[in-house]
Amino acid sequence: MAKVTEKSLKARCTELNMGPLRNTTFGIRANRLGAGYTVELIYRDNTPPQILVEGVAAAEAAAAVEGAAAGAAAVQVAGLDKPEFVTRDTFVRQAAERCPKCATKDIFPAHLSVEKGIITQKCSCQRCGLNWNSIYRLDDYEIAVTAGEV
Ligand SMILES: [Zn+2]
């Protein structure tokens, strides 16, 4: 195997990101920080990166990159490349209007409970049957304006 350099590592990551990892939920990134290399998974939504190895030698970083790519390929073959549930960020972006598993809007919001500025609402999905709690946090207040005061 050719000697691994920072350049060859980055090129390999780009190659994987544009190729085998293209349709997965993440890409891979290798960085040289001082004497060691860091390899991390970068998710395509806002999930924070997951560090695979840190402060390792170039050859070890290369092995981590290949390992992640091989794992992703295996997962794709198994048809599980999409995580089962959406991330918290996605759920919030969708304003809690969709099932966190199957994404339908056909959900049934039920009982609300309020405790110390946090409202928890039990929800269930009419399509896939998932049950979850949507959590709302107190944000602000607004003075009510009654007619005649304006
Ligand atoms: Zn569902």
Side-chain angles (χ1 to χ4, degrees):
M1 202 169 128
K3 185 169 157 39
V4 180
T5 62
E6 187 179 2
K7 202 176 157 196
S8 75
L9 253 182
K10 291 199 169 188
R12 179 63 177 144
C13 286
T14 304
E15 185 184 21
L16 289 167
N17 291 338
M18 305 302 277
L21 298 181
R22 202 189 174 103
N23 296 316
T24 65
T25 53
F26 66 92
I28 197 160
R29 182 166 73 189
N31 270 319
R32 185 174 187 169
L33 289 170
Y37 287 85
T38 299
V39 176
E40 50 191 359
L41 300 181
I42 311 296
Y43 293 90
R44 301 198 199 280
D45 59 13
N46 293 322
T47 310
Q50 189 187 339
I51 295 172
L52 297 177
V53 291
E54 213 171 6
V56 298
E60 214 175 319
V65 168
E66 297 307 325
V75 166
Q76 253 187 316
V77 168
L80 296 169
D81 62 317
K82 279 197 185 252
E84 194 178 4
F85 301 104
V86 297
T87 62
R88 170 173 172 257
D89 286 330
T90 301
F91 183 71
V92 171
R93 199 164 56 236
Q94 293 168 344
E97 289 174 345
R98 293 181 182 274
C99 169
K101 185 177 181 188
C102 73
T104 183
K105 278 193 165 180
D106 191 11
I107 62 177
F108 180 68
H111 183 71
L112 287 169
S113 64
V114 186
E115 198 182 340
K116 296 203 176 206
I118 294 175
I119 297 179
T120 304
Q121 181 166 41
K122 292 192 183 305
C123 298
S124 55
C125 178
Q126 309 287 73
R127 193 206 275 169
C128 76
L130 183 74
N131 294 305
W132 72 95
N133 292 329
S134 289
I135 299 163
Y136 298 84
R137 287 171 210 281
L138 181 63
D139 182 57
D140 200 359
Y141 78 97
E142 198 172 68
I143 303 294
V145 177
T146 51
E149 281 181 23
V150 187

